[in-house]
Amino acid sequence: MADSESEEDYMNMIIEEKPKQETSIQRAARLRKEREERGRPKPKAELQAEQEAATRERLETALPSTNKGFKMMEKMGFKQGSTLGKSKDARKEPIGIQTKDDRSGIGLESEKKRKFREQAEEVLSRAKRSKEDEGDWREMQRQKQKEGRRMKDLANAQRTAERLEDVDFESKDPTKVPLKSINVLWRGLNRQRLEKLREKREKIQLTNSLTSRLPTLAAENDDEDNDYKIAFGSAAESSFVDDDLDDGDEEFEEFEALPVEDRLQKVADFLREKHRYCVWCGDQYPDVAMEGCPGSTESAHDD
Amino acid sequence: MTIKRDTYEDDDSSSSNKRVKVENGSNGVKKEENPYLAHWNDESGSKNEPSNSADLLYSFKRHGTTAKQAHDAEDGPLNPFTGKSLSSNYMSILKKRRDLPVHQQRDDFLSLYQSSQILVFVGETGSGKTTQIPQFVLFDDLPHLNNKMVACTQPRRVAAMSVAQRVAEEMDVNLGEEVGYSIRFEDKTGPNTMLKYMTDGMLLREAMHDNNLSRYSTIILDEAHERTLATDILMGLLKEVVLRRKDLKLIIMSATLDATKFQRYFHDAPLLAVPGRTHAVEIFYTPEPERDYVEASLRTVLQIHATEKEGDILLFLTGEEEIEDTCRKLTMEAQELLRDGAAGPLQVYPLYGTLPPAQQQKIFNPAPPPATPGGPPGRKCIISTNIAETSLTIDGIVYVVDPGFSKQKVYNPRIRVESLLVSPISKASAQQRAGRAGRTRPGKCFRLYTEAAFKKELIEQTYPEVLRSNLASTVLELKKLGVEDLVHFDLMDPPAPETLMRALEELNYLACLDDEGDLTTLGRLASEFPLDPALAVMLITSPEFYCSNEILSLTALLSVPQIFVRPANNRKAADEMKELFAHPDGDHLTMLNVYHAFKGAEAQANPKQWCHDHFLSFRALQQADNVRLQLKRIMEREELELMSTPFENKKYYENIRRALVAGFFMQVAKRDGTGKTYTTVKDEQSVLLHPSTVLAQDSEWVVYNEFVLTTKNYIRTVTGVKAEWLLDIAPVYYDLDEFKKGDVKTALQRTAMKIKRTNEMKAGRR
């Protein structure tokens, strides 16, 4: 038994590590390192800062009462904390020492400090402000992006609606279609086309008026001129377009005044109902149930 | 220190006898019997007039005279003090003297002087108080008839000398006879002296031997507003002396109006103020603080010169180097202006304490005339330290430029360093400076700082010197003066207790005071020397090191201004010359080499030229020679042996270095590792050797004479020593148990072990 016990003991025994004795080599290395550390010439700035700190500390530390002079003063009746002489307002602390090693005028140092403080304050407050601004800016950018995306979505949805209503609409001459005959939901598309045409025409008219005065240039533009003439038909026609564009269109203006997402939603709802088309799935479903489409809103498609 | 004690140390009874006779008004005192009027006897025999002006003073009732009586006596025709006929020069000066502001109030002064033991007198610089009041006193106090003297103290040596000279002239007597002066290391008085101008420090030293100052009947402390250390101590002392000596009169003279503080201190003594003859001074401030006050000063002076009406300029700067440098630059710039026809000629003069007197006199030269008749005015510009603030009067100054700085002594007992630092002046100082512009006519003062800075940054009054000084030698003096209770000594502005603590500690380590605070024999001896206690102890113990001759020379050299000259435009040549004298073990030995060479035959053939050639200050060396002589006399008097180790002996220099340790063991630094920096022993301040040192091999231990406090700390005038000597010569200070753990302690412990081993080996061998 005793044997087994000792065996157990042996198994459990913790082999205590001897406290590390420094070998002579280690010691020599350590000492050498320490010496080098001491001998290493410190950078001047560091040295001076250290010096100044040491002097400051000394200047702020009162002499201890173990000082021989203090003991001699005690024998003359001095008590710790009292003052010399007979006047009541005698000094307790020695006068401080301020060194000056430049030629800065009186008040410059405090003026510098004041300016520095002001600047520091300003930098701080500006940093704070810019952080706030930064948050705003990010949010605004996000909104902008979102809106841009929705505008694109809207335009796509409108084009789809236009196509689904009338497959050949795009090939038609936009000027030939009275604007108000188009559903207000996508009327904007045709308006845009007309506006683009008008811009082109105005440009041509401007060039023509110029070329009429500069005959040498007129010939070169002849081809283009002809092309446009064919494309736009007569001036009378274009004036018709003008009238159509410039006519008041309350219905359209009302629609345009709505936020982008509302307009998009309106177009999307129209497409779902009439054409079983989902703007966000980008697909036309065979039946009214529209199985497979997560829902009639953008957020339903987010996941 | 050549006070003729024997001449004056008569007992009081004889003098009071004589006073009785005078008060009886008996004009017929037998002059022949009066030993103090022996010089009259030769002439009086031939003249034999019963009541000539020279005899007038005998009819005066002491402390009962009037201005009218004095006036008559002054009119002559014979000098009332010497009996000689008065010169025409005297008469013309007398006329001018009677125009001085103080003269108007001679009767007021006399009545207050006669009725009160202590009087506070306020008169601005230029009122004539320094020259006239002591003379007013002479006519009423009649010290010469009573075997007494009148003393008038001055904070500055130069002032004591020049005022004495002036007053001697005014009184038509020879300087050093009826009127004399006494400054440290120079005494120009004689057995007939009745009026003595002296530095306040000298009067304090005299009090050490004569605690009641019994040779004086009236003591005038002039320029008390300057609050020098010695003046403050004297006031504390005299406050007690006047209680013991009811016959002593005391006049405190101040140039500033805060004299009420003096009144309060002297138990509400009466005050008499003489209005100065001043004009309005317009003060201008800068809108912004200046980046470089020297540059700004230069610009301001040039602007004044180019744009302002006729009138001289006074610019205050801080020190010799700065002043000389600015003088050069200003002269150059002004010449350019003159060439361009933008301004008239400008003559620039420097003024500072260490400037030779002949140079100092130049500031009184008249300003140059315009270059062309009717052209822009010519003027002089004086660039001065704060000497010109109160103690010197220069007529013709209309414009003052004040950058607001001066070099001031600072002392802090915690780091045990006394140093001169450029510091902002006080408001009182700034006002004083501005006042200098209004001496001749309304003037202008340009302050190179903002009004806000004036209000906020400047302290009200300059701190009195007693708050900015190491008090070790003062404490020794006070002990010698018989002041036992230093703690309650009634100073006007007592310093922080730590200042006294340090002073006592230092004197205890120097063995000048015992643990009870009582003077030891060494301390009593040390107080005989007008020296710092450390220097005195070094000198007294030097015979033990067989080098008292050398230490005597060295002590003299350390008591005078810098002997090495290093002109800004010729530094390299100056440094090369210094190398000739350099001793590898340090600056003290180098200075000694210089002195020995100076005393050599080659140099003495033409010492002035020799000094010039070797970039040495002839004045400083000459002064050192004089100081040495004075100190030697004291040594001989105190029977201290003068000796030298033979020069051939290899211990010659070592002995000197050991003797240095005996005085300066509290100013020792040890090198850090192998680096360039040193750490001061006990105070643990990191320091660098001053670039001017000649110490060749970087010695591990050095003693230093001066700690230069700047943003970098330097020790100047250093000599290498050995750790063994420190332990051997100053065992109490180098008690290793009292050292903090650190590099210094470790190194000293190592040395102590080594000494012990060596001693054991020696003992074993025996």
Side-chain angles (χ1 to χ4, degrees), chain A residues 51 55 58-59 61 63 67-70 72-73 75 84-85 93-95 97 101 103-106 110, chain B residues 290-293 404 412 414-415 457 487 489 494 498 501 505 508 514-515 682-686 711:
Chain A
Q51 252 185 38
T55 307
R58 275 265 157 183
L59 282 171
T61 317
L63 294 178
N67 182 291
K68 266 188 169 178
F70 179 78
M72 291 160 82
M73 279 164 72
K75 285 174 188 160
L84 301 182
E93 291 271 306
I95 297 170
I97 288 181
D101 63 347
R103 289 169 157 189
S104 58
I106 285 179
S110 53
Chain B
E290 294 291 344
R291 302 202 161 278
D292 180 335
Y293 69 86
N412 190 296
R414 293 176 181 173
I415 57 170
E457 310 241 335
V487 168
F489 183 66
E498 284 169 68
M501 225 178 269
E505 184 196 37
N508 183 258
D514 61 19
D515 287 352
K682 284 204 180 174
D683 299 307
E684 289 164 353
Q685 295 293 297
S686 185
T711 42

Side-chain angles (χ1 to χ4, degrees), chain B residues 428-632:
Chain B
S429 239
Q431 300 298 41
Q432 198 70 37
R433 288 181 173 190
R436 311 274 75 195
R439 293 271 306 120
T440 7
R441 59 182 170 88
K444 290 178 181 175
C445 174
F446 298 83
R447 290 184 175 156
L448 303 183
Y449 39 88
T450 65
E451 192 168 3
F454 171 79
K455 284 181 181 151
K456 268 192 239 151
E457 310 241 335
L458 301 189
I459 55 170
E460 290 298 324
Q461 296 285 337
T462 311
Y463 291 121
E465 198 183 358
V466 70
L467 302 181
R468 303 182 274 116
S469 304
N470 179 350
L471 295 185
S473 44
T474 305
V475 166
L476 197 61
E477 280 167 355
L478 283 172
K479 276 284 170 191
K480 189 75 196 295
L481 286 162
V483 177
E484 288 303 322
D485 185 358
L486 295 167
V487 168
H488 299 104
F489 183 66
D490 189 9
L491 283 168
M492 206 161 157
D493 285 292
E498 284 169 68
T499 307
L500 179 59
M501 225 178 269
R502 266 298 191 211
L504 289 168
E505 184 196 37
E506 272 185 45
L507 289 168
N508 183 258
Y509 279 129
L510 283 170
C512 289
L513 295 180
D514 61 19
D515 287 352
E516 305 301 310
D518 292 330
L519 270 183
T520 60
T521 317
L522 179 61
R524 201 160 289 124
L525 203 50
S527 70
E528 291 297 321
F529 292 88
L531 294 169
D532 234 34
L535 274 172
V537 166
M538 173 172 83
L539 189 55
I540 293 164
T541 49
S542 61
E544 292 172 32
F545 300 92
Y546 307 103
C547 57
S548 42
N549 277 318
E550 287 73 20
I551 291 296
L552 176 60
S553 308
L554 193 54
T555 305
L557 289 163
L558 291 173
S559 307
V560 299
Q562 184 58 253
I563 56 167
F564 294 103
V565 178
R566 200 163 176 260
N569 52 5
N570 218 350
R571 288 195 178 133
K572 206 164 158 261
D575 290 344
E576 279 168 12
M577 271 303 169
K578 192 173 171 184
E579 274 303 309
L580 285 183
F581 304 104
H583 189 287
D585 282 327
D587 301 312
H588 294 94
L589 304 181
T590 304
M591 287 167 84
L592 206 54
N593 283 348
V594 169
Y595 184 73
H596 289 155
F598 174 69
K599 296 301 280 180
E602 191 202 330
Q604 285 301 310
N606 186 353
K608 214 167 177 177
Q609 186 61 40
W610 184 84
C611 285
H612 183 264
D613 294 345
H614 292 83
F615 290 93
L616 298 166
S617 164
F618 174 58
R619 239 166 63 83
L621 281 167
Q622 218 180 9
Q623 222 177 318
D625 221 15
N626 180 28
V627 172
R628 190 183 190 279
L629 186 69
Q630 305 292 331
L631 292 173
K632 190 173 166 225

Side-chain angles (χ1 to χ4, degrees), chain B residues 293-469:
Chain B
Y293 69 86
V294 179
E295 186 61 40
S297 309
L298 203 65
R299 264 188 288 118
T300 310
V301 169
L302 286 168
Q303 201 187 347
I304 293 168
H305 182 46
T307 59
E308 294 283 348
K309 277 187 228 137
E310 203 177 351
D312 297 332
I313 306 170
L314 174 61
L315 163 63
F316 288 98
L317 286 179
T318 63
E320 178 178 340
E321 206 179 319
E322 196 177 82
I323 289 172
E324 288 290 357
D325 192 43
T326 309
C327 276
R328 244 188 325 274
K329 282 184 188 155
L330 188 58
T331 305
M332 259 159 46
E333 299 258 358
Q335 268 162 3
E336 208 157 300
L337 278 181
L338 180 64
R339 260 199 306 278
D340 298 347
L346 182 73
Q347 187 64 54
V348 186
Y349 298 110
L351 178 63
Y352 45 85
T354 51
L355 197 70
Q359 297 272 72
Q360 285 193 11
Q361 281 302 314
K362 283 190 183 167
I363 62 167
F364 297 109
N365 289 352
T372 51
R379 52 182 120 222
K380 65 180 173 190
C381 173
I382 293 154
I383 308 184
S384 170
T385 60
N386 51 354
I387 291 191
E389 199 175 296
T390 48
S391 38
L392 236 138
T393 305
I394 313 153
D395 286 324
I397 300 290
V398 177
Y399 308 100
V400 165
V401 179
D402 173 21
F405 289 103
S406 70
K407 219 176 235 178
Q408 291 166 24
K409 184 163 79 175
V410 293
Y411 173 72
N412 190 296
R414 293 176 181 173
I415 57 170
R416 225 165 45 93
V417 166
E418 196 177 56
S419 201
L420 279 172
L421 288 184
V422 172
S423 318
I425 58 170
S426 65
K427 286 189 184 118
S429 239
Q431 300 298 41
Q432 198 70 37
R433 288 181 173 190
R436 311 274 75 195
R439 293 271 306 120
T440 7
R441 59 182 170 88
K444 290 178 181 175
C445 174
F446 298 83
R447 290 184 175 156
L448 303 183
Y449 39 88
T450 65
E451 192 168 3
F454 171 79
K455 284 181 181 151
K456 268 192 239 151
E457 310 241 335
L458 301 189
I459 55 170
E460 290 298 324
Q461 296 285 337
T462 311
Y463 291 121
E465 198 183 358
V466 70
L467 302 181
R468 303 182 274 116
S469 304

